[in-house]
Amino acid sequence: MTLASRIPPLLAPYLSLPPPTSLILLTSVLGASTNWLLFRFLNVALSSNAQNQTQSESSVEGKVKIVLVSFLRDWEFWRDGGSRMGTDFLRLGQKGELQFVDGMSGLFGQQDKPRKGNEVIATGSRVVLKNAGTGPIEEDILKAIEKINDEPKGRSRVLLMVDGLDLLLAATEASAIAHVHSTIITASADSPLVQSQNTPLEINHAAFVACLAHQAYLIMSLRILDTGTARDVSGVLRVTRGTDKGERGQEVEEMEVLYFVGGDGSVKVFERGA
């Protein structure tokens, strides 16, 4: 499966490496997950490394490297999903192009041993967080960024991808974002969390998502169909410009399209009526 066949044409212009210091916000609701979007952002970002190998050294930009932090899904989920798209997460880790920070297994999974700080797995490309304190989590994310950004003269372009940041707000410290080329964050935007605002959880969550949207240069929102489920449509994808115009914010063309995620992981994106 080639990269072109994995990336829907309507979506391709929005998946290129974000501008420096920019933030992309991906929002989801129950039944419309952002997993498939994250996988495609990752694939497109890493494909630029292969393209750079065919260029002269003077024209090559810094290698793109990924720090993927997930509080909702474990290593096996991302590794298996990547293999469906032809992306070998183990090989990327060995090449120093991927660091995975597992914020689920150690913090929310069953524990055989007491939590005594955060554990670095022997492969060197994965970190399992075991301490939910703000300081340790922020410290380990920074360590993952520093470890992968090891090229001379800071030529690496590190893309920080954070899945489920709203589940554990401890990772929202600005210091981590300041150390990377750009950031992609997923957050839940279900109506009870962002519209009701009757409980402290709802109020804080709505304020958190609004704050991210205010900082973002691009917002990609997923939701289910207003009319319910359909056999050939998984949901609706809406792309909007954020308030941070950045270097390329003016180029973002807003759109609303339908998408379908197949059982094999393939994705189709199409306009209404197509």
Side-chain angles (χ1 to χ4, degrees), residues 81-103:
S83 64
R84 287 187 176 187
M85 294 190 62
T87 303
D88 189 338
F89 273 41
L90 284 173
R91 183 168 175 268
L92 289 172
Q94 294 168 354
K95 292 172 58 179
E97 295 183 12
L98 174 71
Q99 277 277 310
F100 179 73
V101 181
D102 185 347

Side-chain angles (χ1 to χ4, degrees), residues 62-63 65 148-156:
K63 178 181 290 187
K65 299 183 177 182
I148 204 169
N149 192 19
D150 58 357
E151 292 191 11
K153 300 181 181 180
R155 292 199 55 160
S156 295

